[in-house]
Amino acid sequence: MSMVFSSYTNMTNLIIDLERRRICGGGGGGADDACSGGGGGGDDDGAEAAVSAAAARTSSYVFLAESFCAILVVGHLGHLSDRLGRRPVAALSLLGNLLECLLVVAVIAYELPVWCLCVATAVQGLCGSYCGFLMAASAYVADLNHRQAFLLRQQHQQQQQQQQQQQRSPLHEEEEEQAQR
């Protein structure tokens, strides 16, 4: 679960940096960029407030895009995992994570607009997001446990049948001897 939270934290930090670059102009968002450059005057505070407001708004849209798409898809993934198996659904969710990462890298490398992050997280949501993977993994573990429990019950039943046959064997031998006499 900490991976999910660190991913959201990293995405939020990325959004802040991108918004700072967009609003303040400049290269990359450190403490010495155009928004906090040197004088400590009122314009710096106003620019940082604008960056914070824009980053909060963009973060909301980005996470809403992922959540909304995931809500539309996750219910169907359960049925799909019953039909196709758990592994393909888990792989689909991991593929969504990979596509999101590639799109985020594209946004950073090619300095694409911030709204492209909404597309990246929507793609991840359409592939099931983290909850699709957790659902498939949990169902896979449950299937393994159910199969193991079934095999243990079957083995126990076989052992009971063998014990019953061993208990019956001396009786049958005595009955056969008496029948022969």
Side-chain angles (χ1 to χ4, degrees), residues 172-181:
H172 286 295
E173 289 176 7
E174 291 177 13
E175 290 175 4
E176 287 177 7
E177 288 177 14
Q178 288 177 2
Q180 288 176 355
R181 290 183 189 172

Side-chain angles (χ1 to χ4, degrees), residues 101-117:
C101 289
L102 292 175
L103 289 171
V104 167
V105 167
V107 167
I108 295 169
Y110 299 113
E111 296 183 6
L112 298 174
V114 179
W115 63 264
C116 292
L117 292 176

Side-chain angles (χ1 to χ4, degrees), residues 53-131:
R57 187 173 43 256
T58 303
S59 292
S60 298
Y61 293 146
V62 165
F63 296 126
L64 182 66
E66 178 186 357
S67 300
F68 182 72
C69 291
I71 286 170
L72 293 176
V73 171
V74 168
H76 300 290
L77 287 179
H79 177 68
L80 193 63
S81 73
D82 289 340
R83 290 184 57 211
L84 299 178
R86 311 303 185 204
R87 288 182 185 179
V89 172
L92 176 68
S93 294
L94 292 176
L95 177 67
N97 281 344
L98 175 67
L99 290 174
E100 182 207 18
C101 289
L102 292 175
L103 289 171
V104 167
V105 167
V107 167
I108 295 169
Y110 299 113
E111 296 183 6
L112 298 174
V114 179
W115 63 264
C116 292
L117 292 176
C118 289
V119 174
T121 57
V123 166
Q124 182 185 18
L126 288 173
C127 291
S129 189
Y130 296 107
C131 53

Side-chain angles (χ1 to χ4, degrees), residues 5 10 18 24 28-29 38 42 56 65-66 75 77 82-83 125 129 134 139-140 144 146 153 158 162 165:
F5 292 127
N10 291 338
L18 291 173
C24 300
E66 178 186 357
L77 287 179
D82 289 340
R83 290 184 57 211
S129 189
L134 292 175
Y140 185 72
L144 289 177
H146 178 72
R153 273 195 309 271
Q158 288 174 351
Q162 288 174 352
Q165 287 176 353

